[in-house]
Amino acid sequence: MPELPEVETTVRALRPLLVNQAITYVHNNWPRHIATPSLAETQYRLHGRHIQAINRRAKYLVFTLSGGETLLIHLKMSGRLLVVDRHETADKHVHTVFGLKNGQELRFWDQRKFGRVYVTRHPEQVLGRLGPEPLETAFTIQVLAQRLHGRSRLLKPLLLDQAFVAGIGNIYADESLFYARLHPQRLANTLTSAEVTALHTAIQKALTLGIEREGASIDLYVKPDGSKGDMQNAVAVFRRTGLPCKECGTPIERMVLGGRSTHFCPNCQT
DNA sequence: ACCGGAGCCTGTTAGC
DNA sequence: TGCTAACAGGCTCCGG
């Protein structure tokens, strides 16, 4: 599941390969991959554009293009972005292809077809509802405290809410709550100021570790060169049900919250 | 304001 | 062994 660290890893890998390249064509065999506008208009508007910059906002890749256009890609569950020579054999799970002037292709591999491509002159219309970036300096303890204040939601579903904080998914939500020693069913407005501080530290620690490890290849995620990340070898609780807690040895438990698997240590997290 | 469920998908896995 | 049904999960939309 590509989350903030996986998308950030992808962005960093794509930058040296794609910045200053020009898009020469767009191929697609699954039109629903293109969220907006139509496939035909996407092809027309991307033709000949230069990629000026590649950045990340939450779990979106943001390609700044010449002529005021922005290409947004969300990998959702199973998306991979791969850069290969255009003569490489096609894989049946590649649904959108961006041809480049240098003879390579940016291929959007997406087994479960949840991923989406947007072309827009107004990216804020797609990105506008997102909450703060958890690794930026503007995301202070005070900001987190303010956003938790008065909320009577369970911590786990709240961390997954992209309007609350952007970029956290199921892996890093569970890891963050473990580091903060907070039970996933705690209500947001019951945290002490010390616990808010612990949660802030924990979110940044989990995400930073994920970036350092170049993402978690637990399901289908791989880097643009096809190799795996390493975060799956560093998780404390995610999908470690029944295995001993790395802090106290108590078996990790699993429960479903908000329809999502949730993994936690029943002894450490209160 | 918050919660739960459906829907979008396909490959894997649990259960019979 | 071979089949089917359940499951995984990011996000949006809908109804309560």
Side-chain angles (χ1 to χ4, degrees), chain A residues 150-170:
Chain A
R151 304 297 298 269
S152 60
R153 293 185 67 182
L154 304 181
L155 281 182
K156 171 65 186 275
L158 190 59
L159 288 181
L160 293 178
D161 184 344
Q162 300 301 296
F164 179 73
V165 178
I168 299 174
N170 213 28

Side-chain angles (χ1 to χ4, degrees), chain A residues 9 113 125:
Chain A
T9 300
K113 297 179 175 174
Q125 289 179 353

